[in-house]
Amino acid sequence: MTPLAREVPRLASLTGPVSRDLDRLHARARDQARRGRRPAVVSFTVAAEDLDPIALWEGAAILTHERALWSAPGGTMAMVALGAAAVLEAGPGPDAAAGPEAAGAGPAAPLAAIAPALASAWQALCEGALIDAPHGVWGTGPVVVGGFAFDPQEAADSLWAGFPAARFVLPELLVTRTGGGTWLTFNRVVVPGVVTAAERGAGTPAAAGAGGEGAGWVFPGGIRLRVPAAATTAAGERGRRWLSLLAVASTAGRRPGSGGTDPRGPAGAPGPGGPGKAEAGPGGRAGLQLAGAAGLGAAPGAPGWPGSAGGREGSGSSARPHGAGGFPSLLGARAVPGRDEWEAMLGAALDAIGRGELAKVVLARRLHLRAAAAFDPGTALRRLQAGYPECFIFAVARDRTVFLGATPERLVRLRDRRVETAAVAGSTARGATPEADAALARELLASPKEREEHALVVRMLRDTLGPVCRVLDVPAEPRLLQLRNVQHLYTPITGVVDGATVPELVARLHPTPALGGWPRERALAFIRRWEGGSRGWYAAPLGWFDHRGEGEMAVAIRSGVVRGPEAWLFAGCGVVAGSDPGREWQETALKLQPLAAALGVEPGAPEVDHGG
């Protein structure tokens, strides 16, 4: 055990001191809010014993509907955001497009107004914040966690209820695991005129309209601040409740057979079948096969279709609630759009490219899964973490809905003025043997089509960051980013920037040609017309940033929405001159596999077309 670990207090010993400090800081913030007639932020950080992030994210469901998990590649950093001290939101419509645009973002950038307005609101909220974070650890103190919609101009459908154009939460409790230590940050936002139940008991009148709905505030640019009612209760009492939860979660995470995982432990290795084969998961079940006739791109009625012998969606009357390995039995899988609609959409894209209207467009599809029992997001997260250590693992829970995934693509990281991003474009499968894998990698690196698709992203990132960076390093040649079932061309880009924040950089960068296409405005218009459904937070920026505007955002691809026994999985591909619709269908099938397998979908389960 390291000296630092010996000095870390046990959770039980923190209850009294944390409760007293939170009450003390809350009283100071209440006075500050009253004098300044504006909200005041309190943030208090302490070191703590080690905790399992996924076990904690799961266990917190008994106490809050607001939960988020963020785990960086290799387990270098993990965050669990629990509860909501405050929520900053921007919805669709005129308010979402109001406010000053980010300099250099251009009128075609969909977040050009929302992201800078959010940054401004967050900076204003944190002005004069009472911060007690003596350790100075990156990712502690006032930190908001959340995401943006891919395209705020796109009308959101019911699937994305609760996931508006922008939504970032200042958690009541943030657990940060990094650098060999674990830290707990307790946050509060005190709004003028809103008092706690304890203060009302002492004779202080309640604010008009506070009731059980909390309190609100509106910032310029249409950014709304909401302080939930639960976050206006006595600060010390809330702190004690959170510490009690942590104590239970820490015990569960250490219990043999609990399924707890350590993101800082050894990386998951490919299964015995080689790089393209998934290892057996819980209960001895393997992941999905590579895309093909029996994979996620299979034709309707293919062997292995769950349900009755007839193979029609939802027709299996003998399905049991759980199949092998304890996973729910699959009742149906529907591709949206179906294969015919997909080929028509790609044909239209290739026509537009041939006419010179587009250089590239990224088109996505979804797979709707229905099971006999609820899917298990916690188990899915553990399998993703073990199988894809090179990826960002994330989950955002809103009531019964969970948006989760494993993305290999960082959009931006900003720390101490150093900015990092990466071009990830150009893809192929992994080989079943080392020799086949190496051959596929050589083919990818030598492909003119894939190299040009990748170069388009690199040029956009260089041209976008160049004006705001004092130094910008762009390697001349891409390298390989090899995941378990797919490999990509990859170019990391670093620079030094002055005076920019993560949201402002997001406004410049999103969407890159790897997620939307090029030219940006025309590509977005094509997507709105042809995809036939809202992307919501899929392929959009998701992550965190602190009161200084530093933090990290990834692109939420290889992701899906889980709601009880239903799941909607998303995947996309870049269409350029020379693209083949059939091959692109198979590429998206390959990208659907990680999350589908993590949710326990049977190997060989096919898709059916939109018409069912």
Side-chain angles (χ1 to χ4, degrees):
M1 184 179 292
T2 65
L4 175 62
R6 283 197 299 268
E7 296 170 3
V8 171
R10 305 291 292 180
L11 290 169
S13 68
L14 291 173
T15 303
V18 165
S19 177
R20 288 191 295 271
D21 284 331
L22 286 174
D23 282 335
R24 172 180 56 83
L25 288 170
H26 180 92
R28 287 180 56 192
R30 182 192 59 211
D31 293 340
Q32 179 175 304
R34 184 172 60 244
R35 291 195 306 270
R37 297 183 179 180
R38 56 188 307 278
V41 173
V42 169
S43 188
F44 175 69
T45 302
V46 294
E49 63 186 89
D50 195 24
L51 295 163
D52 173 52
I54 295 178
L56 178 56
W57 180 86
E58 287 184 291
I62 65 174
L63 194 57
T64 179
H65 295 303
E66 291 276 4
R67 298 172 292 138
L69 171 77
W70 168 270
S71 181
T76 54
M77 182 183 209
M79 288 179 165
V80 185
L82 303 176
V87 180
L88 289 168
E89 275 189 350
D95 285 347
E101 292 187 348
L111 302 180
I114 292 177
L118 182 76
S120 177
W122 175 236
Q123 183 178 25
L125 181 62
C126 289
E127 184 179 346
L130 302 176
I131 302 172
D132 188 342
H135 305 281
V137 176
W138 197 56
T140 64
V143 166
V144 286
V145 181
F148 296 93
F150 176 83
D151 181 5
Q153 294 185 35
E154 186 180 50
D157 52 38
S158 59
L159 174 62
W160 294 103
F163 294 83
R167 189 176 196 271
F168 283 81
V169 175
L170 175 67
E172 283 193 83
L173 172 62
L174 177 69
V175 180
T176 306
R177 197 183 194 203
T178 185
T182 299
W183 286 266
L184 312 179
T185 299
F186 298 86
N187 298 300
R188 302 279 291 185
V189 173
V190 181
V191 177
V194 177
V195 296
T196 68
E199 291 165 340
R200 288 197 295 273
T204 307
E213 299 181 359
W217 201 266
V218 179
F219 290 97
I223 304 299
R224 299 180 296 276
L225 168 70
R226 182 174 61 85
V227 179
T232 65
T233 58
E237 176 58 30
R238 291 293 291 180
R240 283 192 292 272
R241 292 186 66 188
W242 286 119
L243 286 168
S244 297
L245 170 70
L246 295 181
V248 173
S250 65
T251 301
R254 290 191 297 265
R255 188 175 63 249
S258 66
T261 55
D262 187 345
R264 294 172 299 188
K277 307 294 185 181
E279 66 180 351
R285 292 187 52 183
L288 290 177
Q289 301 167 350
L290 288 176
L296 284 173
W305 172 246
S308 69
R312 292 186 59 82
E313 178 188 1
S315 63
S317 60
S318 61
R320 291 186 295 271
H322 291 86
F327 288 101
S329 297
L330 192 65
L331 298 179
R334 188 179 70 170
V336 182
R339 185 66 179 263
D340 291 343
E341 291 88 347
W342 172 263
E343 295 197 359
M345 180 169 65
L346 264 71
L350 290 169
D351 287 346
I353 292 168
R355 293 191 298 269
E357 298 170 5
L358 294 170
K360 175 183 178 181
V361 63
V362 180
L363 298 175
R365 65 186 183 96
R366 68 177 73 178
L367 181 65
H368 179 202
L369 304 175
R370 295 190 300 109
F375 289 106
D376 184 351
T379 297
L381 290 168
R382 291 189 182 93
R383 298 189 77 184
L384 290 171
Q385 188 178 68
Y388 297 87
E390 313 90 345
C391 291
F392 295 90
I393 309 299
F394 63 88
V396 179
R398 297 290 323 278
D399 297 324
R400 293 178 57 248
T401 302
V402 179
F403 178 53
L404 76 168
T407 173
E409 190 164 347
R410 169 189 286 137
L411 180 62
V412 65
R413 182 180 193 261
L414 179 63
R415 183 178 185 184
D416 297 331
R417 296 185 299 173
R418 176 182 169 86
V419 62
E420 300 176 43
T421 186
V424 182
S427 309
T428 193
R430 301 299 302 272
T433 66
E435 294 77 15
D437 197 50
L440 286 168
R442 288 192 299 270
E443 182 181 332
L444 176 62
L445 287 166
S447 168
K449 170 187 172 292
E450 303 293 344
R451 290 292 293 262
E452 177 54 31
E453 182 179 346
H454 185 81
L456 181 64
V457 181
V458 173
R459 287 195 297 269
M460 179 268 182
L461 293 174
R462 182 187 59 222
D463 295 346
T464 301
L465 289 176
V468 296
C469 286
R470 290 193 285 112
V471 179
L472 191 63
D473 180 24
V474 183
E477 292 291 322
R479 62 191 198 217
L480 292 173
L481 175 63
Q482 295 181 307
L483 308 179
R484 171 168 292 187
N485 70 327
V486 67
Q487 48 191 327
H488 303 282
L489 294 178
Y490 173 75
T491 299
I493 297 172
T494 59
V496 178
V497 63
D498 289 324
T501 66
V502 163
E504 290 164 345
L505 293 171
V506 164
R508 285 179 164 269
L509 295 172
H510 176 75
T512 72
L515 282 307
W518 199 258
R520 178 188 274 163
E521 190 169 12
R522 292 179 182 175
L524 289 174
F526 189 94
I527 290 168
R528 292 179 197 124
R529 176 182 176 186
W530 282 94
E531 280 194 1
S534 172
R535 289 191 179 188
W537 282 24
Y538 163 70
L542 182 146
W544 65 274
F545 53 94
D546 63 18
H547 62 291
R548 295 177 293 266
E550 296 185 345
E552 188 164 35
M553 302 288 286
V555 178
I557 55 176
R558 319 291 158 84
S559 58
V561 174
V562 175
R563 185 179 296 145
E566 292 188 279
W568 294 261
L569 281 52
F570 292 81
C573 63
V575 181
V576 297
S579 290
D580 174 73
R583 181 177 176 181
E584 304 302 343
W585 177 272
Q586 295 298 331
E587 179 180 324
T588 54
L590 196 67
K591 293 173 178 177
L592 288 166
Q593 287 179 15
L595 185 51
L599 290 169
V601 174
E602 293 282 1
E607 302 176 28
V608 298
D609 283 346
H610 177 68

